[in-house]
Short mmCIF file of all heavy atoms in Angstrom, two decimals:
data_model
loop_
_atom_site.label_atom_id
_atom_site.label_comp_id
_atom_site.label_asym_id
_atom_site.label_seq_id
_atom_site.Cartn_x
_atom_site.Cartn_y
_atom_site.Cartn_z
N SER C 1 65.44 20.30 91.66
CA SER C 1 64.49 20.18 90.55
C SER C 1 63.61 21.46 90.56
O SER C 1 63.38 22.03 91.64
CB SER C 1 63.62 18.95 90.75
OG SER C 1 64.38 17.77 90.72
N LEU C 2 63.15 21.80 89.40
CA LEU C 2 62.21 22.93 89.26
C LEU C 2 60.96 22.36 88.54
O LEU C 2 61.08 21.70 87.52
CB LEU C 2 62.81 23.96 88.39
CG LEU C 2 61.98 25.15 88.00
CD1 LEU C 2 61.56 25.91 89.23
CD2 LEU C 2 62.72 26.07 87.00
N PHE C 3 59.84 22.69 89.16
CA PHE C 3 58.59 22.18 88.67
C PHE C 3 57.70 23.36 88.37
O PHE C 3 57.53 24.23 89.19
CB PHE C 3 57.86 21.25 89.66
CG PHE C 3 58.60 20.03 90.02
CD1 PHE C 3 59.41 20.02 91.15
CD2 PHE C 3 58.53 18.92 89.23
CE1 PHE C 3 60.13 18.85 91.44
CE2 PHE C 3 59.26 17.79 89.52
CZ PHE C 3 60.05 17.73 90.66
N SER C 4 57.11 23.39 87.19
CA SER C 4 56.12 24.40 86.79
C SER C 4 54.77 23.99 87.25
O SER C 4 54.37 22.79 87.11
CB SER C 4 56.17 24.58 85.27
OG SER C 4 55.22 25.52 84.81
N GLN C 5 54.04 24.94 87.73
CA GLN C 5 52.64 24.64 88.12
C GLN C 5 51.72 25.67 87.46
O GLN C 5 52.25 26.68 86.97
CB GLN C 5 52.50 24.77 89.68
CG GLN C 5 53.39 23.74 90.41
CD GLN C 5 53.40 23.96 91.89
OE1 GLN C 5 53.02 24.95 92.39
NE2 GLN C 5 53.88 22.90 92.56
N GLU C 6 50.49 25.47 87.48
CA GLU C 6 49.51 26.34 86.82
C GLU C 6 49.70 27.78 87.24
O GLU C 6 49.60 28.64 86.40
CB GLU C 6 48.11 25.80 87.05
CG GLU C 6 47.07 26.71 86.28
CD GLU C 6 45.61 26.14 86.54
OE1 GLU C 6 45.44 24.93 86.63
OE2 GLU C 6 44.75 26.99 86.55
N ASN C 7 49.84 28.01 88.52
CA ASN C 7 49.88 29.37 88.99
C ASN C 7 51.19 29.69 89.73
O ASN C 7 51.28 30.58 90.58
CB ASN C 7 48.68 29.59 89.99
CG ASN C 7 48.79 28.72 91.17
OD1 ASN C 7 49.47 27.72 91.18
ND2 ASN C 7 47.96 28.96 92.18
N GLY C 8 52.27 29.06 89.33
CA GLY C 8 53.60 29.33 89.91
C GLY C 8 54.61 28.27 89.63
O GLY C 8 54.51 27.59 88.59
N PHE C 9 55.52 28.11 90.47
CA PHE C 9 56.58 27.14 90.28
C PHE C 9 57.12 26.71 91.69
O PHE C 9 56.89 27.36 92.67
CB PHE C 9 57.71 27.59 89.37
CG PHE C 9 58.42 28.85 89.88
CD1 PHE C 9 59.52 28.74 90.59
CD2 PHE C 9 57.93 30.09 89.50
CE1 PHE C 9 60.21 29.89 90.98
CE2 PHE C 9 58.56 31.19 89.88
CZ PHE C 9 59.71 31.16 90.66
N GLU C 10 57.87 25.55 91.66
CA GLU C 10 58.36 25.01 92.89
C GLU C 10 59.84 24.53 92.71
O GLU C 10 60.05 23.86 91.69
CB GLU C 10 57.51 23.84 93.34
CG GLU C 10 58.00 23.11 94.57
CD GLU C 10 57.13 21.98 94.98
OE1 GLU C 10 56.29 21.50 94.18
OE2 GLU C 10 57.25 21.54 96.14
N PHE C 11 60.67 24.94 93.57
CA PHE C 11 61.98 24.34 93.66
C PHE C 11 62.05 23.21 94.67
O PHE C 11 61.56 23.46 95.79
CB PHE C 11 63.07 25.40 94.10
CG PHE C 11 63.36 26.43 93.06
CD1 PHE C 11 62.86 27.72 93.26
CD2 PHE C 11 64.15 26.18 92.03
CE1 PHE C 11 63.07 28.72 92.32
CE2 PHE C 11 64.40 27.17 91.04
CZ PHE C 11 63.90 28.45 91.20
N VAL C 12 62.62 22.12 94.37
CA VAL C 12 62.74 20.99 95.36
C VAL C 12 64.14 20.55 95.39
O VAL C 12 64.78 20.28 94.33
CB VAL C 12 61.79 19.81 94.95
CG1 VAL C 12 62.02 18.67 95.96
CG2 VAL C 12 60.36 20.26 94.94
N PHE C 13 64.68 20.45 96.59
CA PHE C 13 66.04 20.04 96.82
C PHE C 13 65.94 18.81 97.71
O PHE C 13 65.32 18.84 98.79
CB PHE C 13 66.88 21.11 97.56
CG PHE C 13 66.86 22.45 96.87
CD1 PHE C 13 65.91 23.38 97.18
CD2 PHE C 13 67.78 22.72 95.84
CE1 PHE C 13 65.88 24.63 96.50
CE2 PHE C 13 67.75 23.96 95.22
CZ PHE C 13 66.82 24.91 95.59
N GLU C 14 66.55 17.72 97.28
CA GLU C 14 66.46 16.44 97.99
C GLU C 14 67.85 15.81 98.09
O GLU C 14 68.61 15.92 97.09
CB GLU C 14 65.53 15.45 97.36
CG GLU C 14 64.07 15.85 97.39
CD GLU C 14 63.20 14.81 96.73
OE1 GLU C 14 63.07 14.77 95.46
OE2 GLU C 14 62.55 14.02 97.46
N ASP C 15 68.05 15.09 99.17
CA ASP C 15 69.20 14.23 99.21
C ASP C 15 68.90 12.97 100.07
O ASP C 15 67.89 12.98 100.71
CB ASP C 15 70.47 14.98 99.79
CG ASP C 15 70.43 15.34 101.26
OD1 ASP C 15 69.65 14.66 101.96
OD2 ASP C 15 71.09 16.22 101.63
N ASP C 16 69.75 11.99 99.99
CA ASP C 16 69.62 10.83 100.84
C ASP C 16 70.73 10.75 101.84
O ASP C 16 71.17 9.66 102.17
CB ASP C 16 69.48 9.53 99.95
CG ASP C 16 70.72 9.37 99.08
OD1 ASP C 16 71.64 10.24 99.06
OD2 ASP C 16 70.83 8.36 98.34
N GLY C 17 71.07 11.90 102.32
CA GLY C 17 72.25 11.95 103.30
C GLY C 17 71.81 11.60 104.70
O GLY C 17 70.84 10.82 104.93
N ILE C 18 72.51 12.15 105.62
CA ILE C 18 72.28 11.80 107.08
C ILE C 18 71.12 12.49 107.70
O ILE C 18 70.64 12.10 108.76
CB ILE C 18 73.55 12.10 107.89
CG1 ILE C 18 73.92 13.59 107.92
CG2 ILE C 18 74.73 11.27 107.37
CD1 ILE C 18 74.93 13.98 108.91
N GLY C 19 70.56 13.49 107.03
CA GLY C 19 69.41 14.26 107.57
C GLY C 19 69.76 15.01 108.85
O GLY C 19 70.93 15.01 109.29
N PHE C 20 68.78 15.66 109.44
CA PHE C 20 69.05 16.48 110.65
C PHE C 20 67.72 16.72 111.33
O PHE C 20 66.66 16.53 110.69
CB PHE C 20 69.77 17.80 110.36
CG PHE C 20 68.94 18.67 109.50
CD1 PHE C 20 68.24 19.76 110.07
CD2 PHE C 20 68.98 18.55 108.13
CE1 PHE C 20 67.52 20.60 109.30
CE2 PHE C 20 68.27 19.45 107.31
CZ PHE C 20 67.49 20.49 107.94
N ASP C 21 67.73 17.12 112.56
CA ASP C 21 66.62 17.46 113.35
C ASP C 21 66.24 18.95 113.06
O ASP C 21 66.94 19.81 113.48
CB ASP C 21 66.86 17.26 114.85
CG ASP C 21 65.72 17.61 115.72
OD1 ASP C 21 64.64 17.98 115.23
OD2 ASP C 21 65.89 17.50 116.96
N VAL C 22 65.10 19.11 112.32
CA VAL C 22 64.77 20.45 111.87
C VAL C 22 64.51 21.39 113.09
O VAL C 22 64.75 22.55 112.97
CB VAL C 22 63.50 20.35 111.03
CG1 VAL C 22 62.97 21.75 110.60
CG2 VAL C 22 63.73 19.56 109.77
N GLU C 23 64.08 20.86 114.17
CA GLU C 23 63.81 21.64 115.38
C GLU C 23 64.95 21.64 116.37
O GLU C 23 64.86 22.26 117.41
CB GLU C 23 62.52 21.10 116.11
CG GLU C 23 61.30 21.12 115.24
CD GLU C 23 60.92 22.48 114.80
OE1 GLU C 23 61.12 23.53 115.47
OE2 GLU C 23 60.39 22.60 113.62
N GLY C 24 66.04 21.03 116.03
CA GLY C 24 67.17 20.91 116.91
C GLY C 24 67.93 22.26 117.08
O GLY C 24 67.85 23.13 116.21
N LYS C 25 68.70 22.39 118.11
CA LYS C 25 69.44 23.65 118.43
C LYS C 25 70.36 24.08 117.31
O LYS C 25 70.47 25.25 116.97
CB LYS C 25 70.17 23.51 119.72
CG LYS C 25 69.29 23.49 120.93
CD LYS C 25 70.06 23.47 122.28
CE LYS C 25 69.16 23.43 123.40
NZ LYS C 25 69.88 23.40 124.72
N LYS C 26 71.07 23.09 116.72
CA LYS C 26 72.04 23.36 115.68
C LYS C 26 71.33 23.90 114.42
O LYS C 26 71.87 24.70 113.70
CB LYS C 26 72.91 22.18 115.33
CG LYS C 26 73.87 21.77 116.37
CD LYS C 26 74.71 20.64 115.97
CE LYS C 26 75.75 20.27 117.05
NZ LYS C 26 76.57 19.17 116.66
N ALA C 27 70.15 23.50 114.20
CA ALA C 27 69.45 23.84 112.97
C ALA C 27 68.59 25.14 113.10
O ALA C 27 68.33 25.82 112.08
CB ALA C 27 68.45 22.72 112.52
N LEU C 28 68.26 25.54 114.30
CA LEU C 28 67.31 26.60 114.49
C LEU C 28 67.69 27.92 113.84
O LEU C 28 66.85 28.49 113.14
CB LEU C 28 67.07 26.80 116.03
CG LEU C 28 66.17 25.77 116.67
CD1 LEU C 28 65.90 26.08 118.14
CD2 LEU C 28 64.81 25.66 115.95
N SER C 29 68.87 28.44 114.01
CA SER C 29 69.18 29.74 113.47
C SER C 29 69.26 29.64 111.95
O SER C 29 68.75 30.56 111.22
CB SER C 29 70.50 30.30 114.04
OG SER C 29 71.58 29.45 113.66
N GLY C 30 69.86 28.63 111.38
CA GLY C 30 69.95 28.44 109.91
C GLY C 30 68.49 28.36 109.32
O GLY C 30 68.19 28.97 108.28
N ILE C 31 67.71 27.52 109.92
CA ILE C 31 66.28 27.25 109.41
C ILE C 31 65.50 28.56 109.56
O ILE C 31 64.75 28.95 108.66
CB ILE C 31 65.68 26.13 110.14
CG1 ILE C 31 66.38 24.86 109.95
CG2 ILE C 31 64.14 26.03 109.80
CD1 ILE C 31 66.43 24.36 108.51
N LYS C 32 65.70 29.26 110.66
CA LYS C 32 64.94 30.56 110.81
C LYS C 32 65.33 31.52 109.73
O LYS C 32 64.46 32.26 109.20
CB LYS C 32 65.24 31.15 112.21
CG LYS C 32 64.49 32.47 112.45
CD LYS C 32 64.88 33.12 113.69
CE LYS C 32 64.17 34.38 113.98
NZ LYS C 32 63.96 35.29 112.91
N ASN C 33 66.61 31.64 109.41
CA ASN C 33 67.08 32.55 108.31
C ASN C 33 66.42 32.20 106.98
O ASN C 33 66.00 33.05 106.20
CB ASN C 33 68.61 32.56 108.23
CG ASN C 33 69.25 33.26 109.38
OD1 ASN C 33 68.62 34.10 110.06
ND2 ASN C 33 70.51 32.89 109.65
N ILE C 34 66.38 30.83 106.70
CA ILE C 34 65.76 30.43 105.44
C ILE C 34 64.31 30.76 105.43
O ILE C 34 63.78 31.21 104.42
CB ILE C 34 65.95 28.89 105.24
CG1 ILE C 34 67.51 28.56 105.03
CG2 ILE C 34 65.18 28.36 104.10
CD1 ILE C 34 67.86 27.13 105.06
N ARG C 35 63.62 30.50 106.55
CA ARG C 35 62.16 30.80 106.64
C ARG C 35 61.92 32.27 106.47
O ARG C 35 60.95 32.68 105.81
CB ARG C 35 61.58 30.26 107.94
CG ARG C 35 61.50 28.81 107.92
CD ARG C 35 60.75 28.22 109.04
NE ARG C 35 60.73 26.73 108.87
CZ ARG C 35 60.54 25.86 109.78
NH1 ARG C 35 60.22 26.25 110.99
NH2 ARG C 35 60.47 24.61 109.52
N ASP C 36 62.70 33.10 107.09
CA ASP C 36 62.60 34.58 107.05
C ASP C 36 62.71 35.03 105.58
O ASP C 36 61.93 35.86 105.08
CB ASP C 36 63.59 35.29 107.90
CG ASP C 36 63.26 35.21 109.34
OD1 ASP C 36 62.17 34.76 109.75
OD2 ASP C 36 64.20 35.52 110.18
N ARG C 37 63.70 34.52 104.87
CA ARG C 37 63.96 34.87 103.48
C ARG C 37 62.78 34.40 102.56
O ARG C 37 62.37 35.10 101.68
CB ARG C 37 65.28 34.33 102.98
CG ARG C 37 66.43 35.03 103.66
CD ARG C 37 67.77 34.41 103.22
NE ARG C 37 68.85 35.09 104.01
CZ ARG C 37 70.07 34.68 103.92
NH1 ARG C 37 70.45 33.69 103.20
NH2 ARG C 37 71.00 35.40 104.60
N ALA C 38 62.29 33.17 102.79
CA ALA C 38 61.15 32.65 102.06
C ALA C 38 59.94 33.57 102.25
O ALA C 38 59.20 33.92 101.32
CB ALA C 38 60.87 31.24 102.42
N GLU C 39 59.69 33.99 103.45
CA GLU C 39 58.60 34.84 103.76
C GLU C 39 58.70 36.18 103.10
O GLU C 39 57.78 36.70 102.50
CB GLU C 39 58.48 35.11 105.31
CG GLU C 39 57.28 35.91 105.71
CD GLU C 39 57.23 36.05 107.24
OE1 GLU C 39 57.60 35.15 107.97
OE2 GLU C 39 56.77 37.19 107.63
N LYS C 40 59.87 36.77 102.99
CA LYS C 40 60.15 37.99 102.30
C LYS C 40 59.83 37.86 100.81
O LYS C 40 59.40 38.78 100.13
CB LYS C 40 61.51 38.50 102.45
CG LYS C 40 61.78 39.04 103.85
CD LYS C 40 63.20 39.57 104.04
CE LYS C 40 63.45 40.03 105.49
NZ LYS C 40 64.82 40.50 105.66
N LEU C 41 60.07 36.68 100.26
CA LEU C 41 59.76 36.33 98.88
C LEU C 41 58.37 35.95 98.61
O LEU C 41 57.92 35.62 97.57
CB LEU C 41 60.72 35.33 98.32
CG LEU C 41 62.19 35.67 98.28
CD1 LEU C 41 63.06 34.42 98.01
CD2 LEU C 41 62.47 36.71 97.30
N LYS C 42 57.58 35.91 99.70
CA LYS C 42 56.20 35.48 99.66
C LYS C 42 56.09 34.01 99.15
O LYS C 42 55.23 33.65 98.32
CB LYS C 42 55.31 36.41 98.85
CG LYS C 42 55.24 37.76 99.48
CD LYS C 42 54.37 38.70 98.72
CE LYS C 42 54.41 39.99 99.44
NZ LYS C 42 53.75 41.05 98.69
N ALA C 43 57.06 33.16 99.53
CA ALA C 43 57.14 31.79 99.09
C ALA C 43 56.69 30.88 100.27
O ALA C 43 56.80 31.30 101.41
CB ALA C 43 58.54 31.44 98.68
N VAL C 44 56.33 29.65 99.92
CA VAL C 44 55.97 28.66 100.99
C VAL C 44 57.16 27.71 101.09
O VAL C 44 57.52 27.09 100.12
CB VAL C 44 54.66 27.95 100.57
CG1 VAL C 44 54.38 26.85 101.59
CG2 VAL C 44 53.52 28.86 100.49
N LEU C 45 57.67 27.64 102.26
CA LEU C 45 58.85 26.74 102.49
C LEU C 45 58.41 25.55 103.28
O LEU C 45 57.72 25.64 104.31
CB LEU C 45 59.86 27.53 103.30
CG LEU C 45 61.10 26.67 103.76
CD1 LEU C 45 61.98 26.31 102.53
CD2 LEU C 45 61.89 27.49 104.74
N THR C 46 58.80 24.33 102.83
CA THR C 46 58.59 23.07 103.52
C THR C 46 59.88 22.39 103.68
O THR C 46 60.57 22.19 102.71
CB THR C 46 57.61 22.20 102.80
OG1 THR C 46 56.36 22.96 102.57
CG2 THR C 46 57.25 20.99 103.57
N ILE C 47 60.22 21.98 104.90
CA ILE C 47 61.47 21.25 105.17
C ILE C 47 61.13 19.94 105.89
O ILE C 47 60.47 20.04 106.90
CB ILE C 47 62.47 22.10 106.01
CG1 ILE C 47 62.80 23.33 105.32
CG2 ILE C 47 63.70 21.21 106.26
CD1 ILE C 47 63.65 24.30 106.12
N VAL C 48 61.46 18.86 105.24
CA VAL C 48 61.22 17.54 105.88
C VAL C 48 62.58 16.82 105.93
O VAL C 48 63.23 16.69 104.89
CB VAL C 48 60.26 16.70 105.09
CG1 VAL C 48 60.09 15.31 105.66
CG2 VAL C 48 58.95 17.37 104.92
N SER C 49 62.99 16.44 107.12
CA SER C 49 64.32 15.76 107.27
C SER C 49 64.19 14.79 108.41
O SER C 49 63.47 15.01 109.43
CB SER C 49 65.38 16.78 107.60
OG SER C 49 66.58 16.12 107.58
N GLU C 50 64.84 13.70 108.25
CA GLU C 50 64.82 12.63 109.26
C GLU C 50 66.23 12.12 109.36
O GLU C 50 66.87 11.74 108.37
CB GLU C 50 63.90 11.50 108.85
CG GLU C 50 63.73 10.51 109.95
CD GLU C 50 62.65 9.45 109.55
OE1 GLU C 50 61.83 9.69 108.70
OE2 GLU C 50 62.72 8.34 110.14
N THR C 51 66.73 12.06 110.64
CA THR C 51 68.07 11.62 110.84
C THR C 51 68.28 10.25 110.25
O THR C 51 67.49 9.35 110.41
CB THR C 51 68.40 11.58 112.36
OG1 THR C 51 68.17 12.89 112.91
CG2 THR C 51 69.87 11.14 112.62
N GLY C 52 69.31 10.10 109.39
CA GLY C 52 69.66 8.84 108.76
C GLY C 52 68.90 8.55 107.48
O GLY C 52 69.14 7.62 106.79
N ARG C 53 67.95 9.49 107.09
CA ARG C 53 67.11 9.26 105.88
C ARG C 53 67.15 10.34 104.86
O ARG C 53 66.55 10.17 103.81
CB ARG C 53 65.69 8.99 106.29
CG ARG C 53 65.63 7.84 107.33
CD ARG C 53 64.27 7.31 107.36
NE ARG C 53 64.35 6.04 106.62
CZ ARG C 53 63.28 5.41 106.24
NH1 ARG C 53 62.08 5.83 106.46
NH2 ARG C 53 63.44 4.23 105.60
N GLY C 54 67.83 11.45 105.14
CA GLY C 54 67.92 12.50 104.11
C GLY C 54 66.97 13.71 104.41
O GLY C 54 66.35 13.81 105.42
N THR C 55 67.01 14.63 103.46
CA THR C 55 66.25 15.92 103.66
C THR C 55 65.59 16.24 102.32
O THR C 55 66.13 15.99 101.21
CB THR C 55 67.25 17.03 103.96
OG1 THR C 55 67.89 16.68 105.20
CG2 THR C 55 66.51 18.37 104.18
N ARG C 56 64.42 16.88 102.44
CA ARG C 56 63.67 17.37 101.30
C ARG C 56 63.25 18.86 101.61
O ARG C 56 62.56 19.05 102.66
CB ARG C 56 62.44 16.58 100.97
CG ARG C 56 61.69 17.11 99.72
CD ARG C 56 60.49 16.21 99.44
NE ARG C 56 59.93 16.37 98.14
CZ ARG C 56 59.10 17.32 97.80
NH1 ARG C 56 58.64 18.18 98.72
NH2 ARG C 56 58.63 17.40 96.52
N ILE C 57 63.69 19.76 100.79
CA ILE C 57 63.29 21.18 100.94
C ILE C 57 62.53 21.64 99.76
O ILE C 57 62.96 21.41 98.61
CB ILE C 57 64.53 22.08 101.17
CG1 ILE C 57 65.28 21.63 102.44
CG2 ILE C 57 64.19 23.54 101.28
CD1 ILE C 57 66.64 22.30 102.60
N SER C 58 61.35 22.19 99.95
CA SER C 58 60.52 22.66 98.90
C SER C 58 60.26 24.13 99.05
O SER C 58 59.96 24.58 100.18
CB SER C 58 59.20 21.89 98.94
OG SER C 58 58.22 22.53 98.13
N LEU C 59 60.42 24.87 98.00
CA LEU C 59 60.11 26.31 98.06
C LEU C 59 59.17 26.64 96.88
O LEU C 59 59.50 26.49 95.76
CB LEU C 59 61.49 27.08 97.82
CG LEU C 59 61.48 28.55 98.11
CD1 LEU C 59 61.03 28.82 99.56
CD2 LEU C 59 62.85 29.08 97.84
N LYS C 60 57.88 27.01 97.27
CA LYS C 60 56.88 27.25 96.27
C LYS C 60 56.56 28.78 96.11
O LYS C 60 56.44 29.44 97.10
CB LYS C 60 55.56 26.55 96.68
CG LYS C 60 55.62 25.07 96.60
CD LYS C 60 54.31 24.44 97.00
CE LYS C 60 54.36 22.92 97.02
NZ LYS C 60 53.04 22.36 97.30
N PHE C 61 56.54 29.15 94.87
CA PHE C 61 56.19 30.55 94.53
C PHE C 61 54.88 30.52 93.71
O PHE C 61 54.70 29.71 92.81
CB PHE C 61 57.24 31.17 93.63
CG PHE C 61 58.54 31.30 94.34
CD1 PHE C 61 59.49 30.30 94.28
CD2 PHE C 61 58.90 32.53 95.02
CE1 PHE C 61 60.70 30.40 94.96
CE2 PHE C 61 60.18 32.58 95.64
CZ PHE C 61 61.02 31.57 95.58
N GLN C 62 53.91 31.43 94.08
CA GLN C 62 52.75 31.56 93.31
C GLN C 62 52.68 32.86 92.69
O GLN C 62 53.06 33.89 93.27
CB GLN C 62 51.50 31.35 94.23
CG GLN C 62 51.32 29.93 94.73
CD GLN C 62 50.02 29.71 95.40
OE1 GLN C 62 49.40 30.67 95.91
NE2 GLN C 62 49.64 28.46 95.57
N PHE C 63 52.23 32.92 91.42
CA PHE C 63 52.06 34.22 90.73
C PHE C 63 50.92 34.87 91.30
O PHE C 63 49.86 34.34 91.60
CB PHE C 63 51.87 33.92 89.15
CG PHE C 63 53.01 33.17 88.56
CD1 PHE C 63 52.79 32.08 87.77
CD2 PHE C 63 54.29 33.61 88.74
CE1 PHE C 63 53.80 31.37 87.19
CE2 PHE C 63 55.37 32.90 88.17
CZ PHE C 63 55.10 31.81 87.39
N GLU C 64 50.98 36.23 91.36
CA GLU C 64 49.88 37.00 91.73
C GLU C 64 48.91 37.14 90.62
O GLU C 64 49.27 37.31 89.44
CB GLU C 64 50.35 38.43 92.22
CG GLU C 64 51.15 38.41 93.43
CD GLU C 64 51.54 39.78 93.91
OE1 GLU C 64 50.87 40.77 93.44
OE2 GLU C 64 52.44 39.90 94.68
N LYS C 65 47.63 37.03 90.93
CA LYS C 65 46.64 37.20 89.90
C LYS C 65 46.47 38.65 89.56
O LYS C 65 46.33 39.51 90.47
CB LYS C 65 45.24 36.63 90.39
CG LYS C 65 45.34 35.14 90.57
CD LYS C 65 43.96 34.69 91.01
CE LYS C 65 44.00 33.12 91.19
NZ LYS C 65 42.68 32.61 91.56
N LYS C 66 46.52 38.92 88.31
CA LYS C 66 46.31 40.33 87.79
C LYS C 66 44.96 40.43 87.22
O LYS C 66 44.44 39.58 86.54
CB LYS C 66 47.41 40.63 86.74
CG LYS C 66 48.82 40.43 87.32
CD LYS C 66 49.65 41.63 86.86
CE LYS C 66 51.06 41.32 87.45
NZ LYS C 66 51.73 42.54 87.71
N THR C 67 44.40 41.57 87.50
CA THR C 67 43.03 41.89 87.00
C THR C 67 43.22 42.35 85.56
O THR C 67 43.96 43.21 85.22
CB THR C 67 42.30 43.00 87.84
OG1 THR C 67 42.35 42.49 89.22
CG2 THR C 67 40.96 43.20 87.34
N LYS C 68 42.40 41.79 84.65
CA LYS C 68 42.44 42.21 83.31
C LYS C 68 41.31 43.22 83.07
O LYS C 68 40.18 43.03 83.59
CB LYS C 68 42.20 41.06 82.36
CG LYS C 68 43.34 40.07 82.34
CD LYS C 68 43.11 38.98 81.32
CE LYS C 68 44.27 38.02 81.34
NZ LYS C 68 44.13 36.96 80.38
N TYR C 69 41.62 44.32 82.42
CA TYR C 69 40.66 45.38 82.19
C TYR C 69 40.34 45.39 80.71
O TYR C 69 41.28 45.31 79.83
CB TYR C 69 41.22 46.77 82.61
CG TYR C 69 41.40 46.85 84.07
CD1 TYR C 69 42.60 46.66 84.64
CD2 TYR C 69 40.34 47.20 84.88
CE1 TYR C 69 42.79 46.75 86.02
CE2 TYR C 69 40.51 47.31 86.25
CZ TYR C 69 41.74 47.13 86.81
OH TYR C 69 41.90 47.18 88.14
N VAL C 70 39.09 45.44 80.42
CA VAL C 70 38.63 45.46 79.02
C VAL C 70 38.04 46.86 78.72
O VAL C 70 37.16 47.26 79.42
CB VAL C 70 37.59 44.38 78.73
CG1 VAL C 70 37.12 44.45 77.28
CG2 VAL C 70 38.18 42.95 79.04
N SER C 71 38.57 47.49 77.68
CA SER C 71 38.06 48.75 77.30
C SER C 71 36.68 48.63 76.67
O SER C 71 36.49 47.76 75.85
CB SER C 71 39.03 49.47 76.34
OG SER C 71 38.50 50.71 75.94
N THR C 72 35.74 49.46 77.09
CA THR C 72 34.44 49.46 76.47
C THR C 72 34.22 50.61 75.47
O THR C 72 33.14 50.88 75.03
CB THR C 72 33.36 49.60 77.52
OG1 THR C 72 33.55 50.74 78.31
CG2 THR C 72 33.35 48.35 78.47
N ASN C 73 35.30 51.30 75.15
CA ASN C 73 35.26 52.40 74.17
C ASN C 73 35.27 51.92 72.74
O ASN C 73 35.86 51.09 72.24
CB ASN C 73 36.39 53.40 74.40
CG ASN C 73 36.26 54.09 75.75
OD1 ASN C 73 35.18 54.21 76.30
ND2 ASN C 73 37.33 54.59 76.26
#
């Protein structure tokens, strides 16, 4: 799903599958790669997963505030 927010947007991926241990040895390298890529994009990554209950991954992007200049001429 894609959600629009006032200052950005959020991608959410969810399933009701078997889930996994986010801190487990099998997940560590894959999760680290995803976190590294999110950091390069200046995004906030949240991963919630529970064995037997599914997974929810959220990736939030915020727009940078731009300064508006007003001409006084």
Side-chain angles (χ1 to χ4, degrees):
S1 300
L2 175 63
F3 299 95
S4 176
Q5 300 174 343
E6 183 178 325
N7 60 345
F9 58 94
E10 176 182 17
F11 288 105
V12 177
F13 307 91
E14 293 182 281
D15 71 22
D16 58 356
I18 62 170
F20 64 97
D21 179 2
V22 176
E23 301 300 325
K25 288 183 181 181
K26 289 184 179 181
L28 285 180
S29 66
I31 297 298
K32 182 185 180 316
N33 289 336
I34 293 170
R35 288 189 179 161
D36 288 347
R37 291 176 183 175
E39 185 178 325
K40 286 180 182 179
L41 294 170
K42 297 180 181 172
V44 176
L45 175 70
T46 305
I47 301 173
V48 178
S49 186
E50 188 176 338
T51 303
R53 305 200 102 194
T55 302
R56 182 180 195 274
I57 299 173
S58 167
L59 194 57
K60 291 183 182 180
F61 295 87
Q62 291 188 340
F63 301 128
E64 291 184 19
K65 293 182 180 180
K66 301 223 180 210
T67 305
K68 293 184 180 180
Y69 294 95
V70 177
S71 175
T72 57
N73 293 338

